[in-house]
Amino acid sequence: METKQATGIFEALSSDVRLDLFRILVKYAPGGLVAGEIAKHLSVTKTNLSFHLKALLHAGLVTMEKEGRFLRYRANIPVMLDTIAYLTAECCSGHPEECRNYRAASAVSPEVLPKCCSSGE
Amino acid sequence: METKQATGIFEALSSDVRLDLFRILVKYAPGGLVAGEIAKHLSVTKTNLSFHLKALLHAGLVTMEKEGRFLRYRANIPVMLDTIAYLTAECCSGHPEECRNYRAASAVSPEVLPKCCSSGE
DNA sequence: GACATATTTCAAAGAGTACTGAAATATTCA
DNA sequence: TGAATATTTCAGTACTCTTTGAAATATGTC
């Protein structure tokens, strides 16, 4: 992954509307939701929803598919995973034991966390 | 983690300068680097570096510690991990097999990716 | 074909972000 | 104390993002 793509993705996730939006689509992966269904989960105008969906689409974080007169949106999970890998690349380079400690200390279940030390673990 | 904190973090990572900066500090975790050492890795003015470090600090992504006349900066790895967990929460809710497929299809080694389905894996 | 529905595009105002050089602050060393 | 070094703060300009209502586009239904 290139820096340009990664910054575009993080910028897309820097709006509360878009972050909520994306997390809903992550939850409803892989089936996705049509725009109207998404609107029911959020309180934004249709104009604004459309604006933010377009931004996520442009960043590559979601995909769109025509479905009759509806438009179905899906979270692009592979892109999400690649971005996480990019962010955590070479974490604690040369200090794998520190990485283990960090993961163990996290408030979140270690199962959902990346093995951020790419070195032989 | 709350939405407000997460959007602040993603916004901090949405600048190419700050993303490069943070990834360098991730690599040099847990020891960190002083500002001058960081400057050697990047080509930005000292003013601009200071500006972006402050933004990362404000977002909670890095910590700062005085060290004589130097200032040492460190990546806040636990916050990074919590943010990843927040982003991937409830991924493919109810479809764990899809999550496995996504991880397997990623261009990146599965070892560095989160187990994004929190459900019993 | 005419109408209802789903969703997007347009235009405009207000708010926030990025970059730079010069000056300020803080610490060390002689 | 005075000079040198490390880093930040300040002020100004240019640029980008967010939000909204009204109008446009596309599809399905009678």
Side-chain angles (χ1 to χ4, degrees), chain A residues 34-82:
Chain A
V34 299
E37 291 173 328
I38 298 171
K40 290 176 192 163
H41 289 267
L42 300 170
S43 50
V44 296
T45 63
K46 57 191 176 177
T47 299
N48 207 18
L49 177 60
S50 187
F51 172 79
H52 288 298
L53 278 169
K54 191 176 178 182
L56 287 169
L57 203 54
H58 181 254
L61 271 174
V62 309
T63 62
M64 185 179 98
E65 189 184 1
K66 254 180 137 170
E67 196 173 293
R69 66 173 151 173
F70 301 87
L71 285 175
R72 178 166 295 271
Y73 289 89
R74 293 183 173 88
N76 192 338
I77 305 293
V79 163
M80 177 183 82
L81 297 178
D82 287 356

Side-chain angles (χ1 to χ4, degrees), chain B residues 43-64:
Chain B
S43 50
V44 297
T45 64
K46 58 191 177 177
T47 299
N48 207 19
L49 177 61
S50 186
F51 172 79
H52 287 298
L53 277 169
K54 191 176 177 182
L56 286 169
L57 202 56
H58 181 255
L61 271 174
V62 309
T63 62
M64 185 178 99

Side-chain angles (χ1 to χ4, degrees), chain A residues 7 11 33-35 38-39 41 48 55 63 69 90 93 99 102-103 113:
Chain A
T7 55
E11 182 179 338
L33 296 173
V34 299
I38 298 171
H41 289 267
N48 207 18
T63 62
R69 66 173 151 173
E90 301 184 75
S93 177
C99 256
Y102 281 132
R103 292 199 299 279
L113 296 175

Side-chain angles (χ1 to χ4, degrees), chain B residues 7-72:
Chain B
T7 55
I9 286 163
F10 289 127
E11 181 178 339
L13 295 171
S14 71
S15 140
D16 54 350
V17 174
R18 286 195 295 270
L19 182 54
D20 288 349
L21 187 36
F22 181 70
R23 290 191 351 124
I24 287 168
L25 290 177
V26 167
K27 179 175 178 178
Y28 284 92
L33 296 173
V34 300
E37 290 173 328
I38 298 171
K40 290 176 192 161
H41 289 269
L42 300 170
S43 50
V44 297
T45 64
K46 58 191 177 177
T47 299
N48 207 19
L49 177 61
S50 186
F51 172 79
H52 287 298
L53 277 169
K54 191 176 177 182
L56 286 169
L57 202 56
H58 181 255
L61 271 174
V62 309
T63 62
M64 185 178 99
E65 189 184 2
K66 254 181 138 169
E67 195 173 294
R69 67 173 149 172
F70 300 87
L71 286 174
R72 178 166 296 270

